[in-house]
Amino acid sequence: MERPAWAPRGIDISVPSVSRMYDFYLGGSHNFEVDREAARRAMEFMPGLPKIMQANRAFMRRAVRYAVGEGVTQFLDIGSGIPTFGNVHEVAQAADPEARVAYVDHDPVAVAHSRAVLEGNDRAVIAAEDLRRPQEIVKNPEINGLLDLDRPVALLLVAVLHFIEDADDPLSSLAELREALAPGSLVVLTHASYEGIPLSREEAGGTVEVYNSIRKPLVMRSHDEIARFFEGYEMVEPGLVQMPHWRPDTPVVAEQEDPYAFSGFAGVGRKA
């Protein structure tokens, strides 16, 4: 298999990556055939996956603009993936040129490509860290060199927690991150769920099995289980809702929307 010039040395390009699959769903070009093959297999069971990812991105952009409007201009985006058009720093810095964004990902391709995209931007960095090791994130020198954790930060966890199994105790990781953030900080979160998907649980389970087969378990949680990730935060209206319903730019007419856009949940919380 030929290695593209942008692919870092030392990574195994024969193994699918969830961040590169996400890039493929969004129409990006930084993915390999192995990623495209796995994504296509997942789409055989759930053909609306690209629409779900688009709804994720649209929610993220609205939440970032909301944060800036609330005076929060520092962003910590964990599980940021491969930069695509309309990424966090672009949205935040369009709203406030002084906004600062620290990206975090453990995929070498995501980190390498982010560094290339961010070159020359002194208000955005990428750090190679893992959500399952929160203390290493908050102590990372690149992050601490950019963000002032004594001031409010918007913590973004968009489409990442459903790749963290219960055995890895994501609630504890989030509690440690929450403790490191100043009062007034926000948490911005989306999560996959069987609730809302326009398929039977058995049909949607085929996609889950594809992710399991590539050793990237996809954990589908219920609304109540996802709500637990907001412990210690006050929910911002309208609460934990389907992505199109979180502060839409224009009124949502369900009959005119792709039903897959309503898969999973999104919400924003504020630390008192």
Side-chain angles (χ1 to χ4, degrees):
M1 184 185 301
E2 184 176 350
R3 179 182 296 271
W6 51 263
R9 292 288 168 185
I11 69 164
D12 186 349
I13 64 175
S14 68
V15 177
S17 154
V18 294
S19 64
R20 298 194 303 266
M21 290 169 68
Y22 190 93
D23 178 67
F24 172 73
Y25 294 136
L26 289 173
S29 59
H30 287 80
N31 47 75
F32 308 131
E33 181 55 34
V34 68
D35 307 306
R36 296 188 285 273
E37 180 183 345
R40 291 187 194 107
R41 282 196 288 124
M43 289 170 62
E44 287 177 8
F45 298 98
M46 199 181 295
L49 279 168
K51 186 61 184 181
I52 296 173
M53 307 313 167
Q54 292 166 18
N56 257 286
R57 299 286 295 184
F59 160 77
M60 177 274 289
R61 290 191 288 268
R62 296 196 303 275
V64 167
R65 289 193 294 266
Y66 169 81
V68 174
E70 292 292 301
V72 179
T73 58
Q74 300 189 108
F75 297 85
L76 178 58
D77 183 0
I78 301 178
S80 52
I82 296 169
T84 56
F85 177 75
N87 219 26
V88 175
H89 71 280
E90 294 173 325
V91 178
Q93 291 172 356
D96 184 337
E98 299 298 312
R100 296 171 180 265
V101 179
Y103 292 112
V104 175
D105 208 288
H106 67 274
D107 184 311
V109 170
V111 172
H113 191 50
S114 296
R115 287 208 170 105
V117 168
L118 299 175
E119 187 174 358
N121 188 331
D122 61 2
R123 291 185 175 85
V125 299
I126 175 71
E129 299 289 359
D130 193 313
L131 175 57
R132 290 166 291 194
R133 295 187 285 277
Q135 287 304 312
E136 294 182 21
I137 294 175
V138 298
K139 293 177 181 177
N140 181 279
E142 292 177 289
I143 294 172
N144 280 287
L146 182 72
L147 304 183
D148 179 0
L149 297 184
D150 291 327
R151 294 175 46 240
V153 172
L155 170 63
L156 274 66
L157 300 164
V158 177
V160 63
L161 282 165
H162 46 236
F163 292 113
I164 307 294
E165 296 180 273
D166 290 341
D168 289 318
D169 201 0
L171 286 169
S172 291
S173 293
L174 264 62
E176 291 185 47
L177 289 168
R178 184 181 66 243
E179 289 303 309
L181 299 179
S185 292
L186 303 172
V187 62
V188 176
L189 188 156
T190 68
H191 198 295
S193 176
Y194 285 117
E195 298 173 38
I197 294 177
L199 296 172
S200 70
R201 187 184 181 101
E202 290 71 24
E203 290 172 310
T207 291
V208 174
E209 287 305 313
V210 170
Y211 280 91
N212 290 343
S213 73
I214 62 172
R215 299 181 182 179
K216 303 291 183 183
L218 177 58
V219 184
M220 307 290 267
R221 295 186 171 99
S222 69
H223 180 279
D224 290 347
E225 289 170 327
I226 298 166
R228 293 189 62 197
F229 292 129
F230 289 92
E231 288 177 0
Y233 295 92
E234 297 175 355
M235 293 299 297
V236 170
E237 289 293 333
L240 183 62
V241 296
Q242 293 167 320
M243 291 178 286
H245 291 307
W246 196 89
R247 295 176 177 254
D249 296 326
T250 57
V252 176
V253 180
E255 293 78 12
Q256 298 175 4
E257 294 282 339
D258 187 315
Y260 278 98
F262 298 89
S263 305
F265 294 100
V268 175
R270 178 182 287 108
K271 182 177 176 180

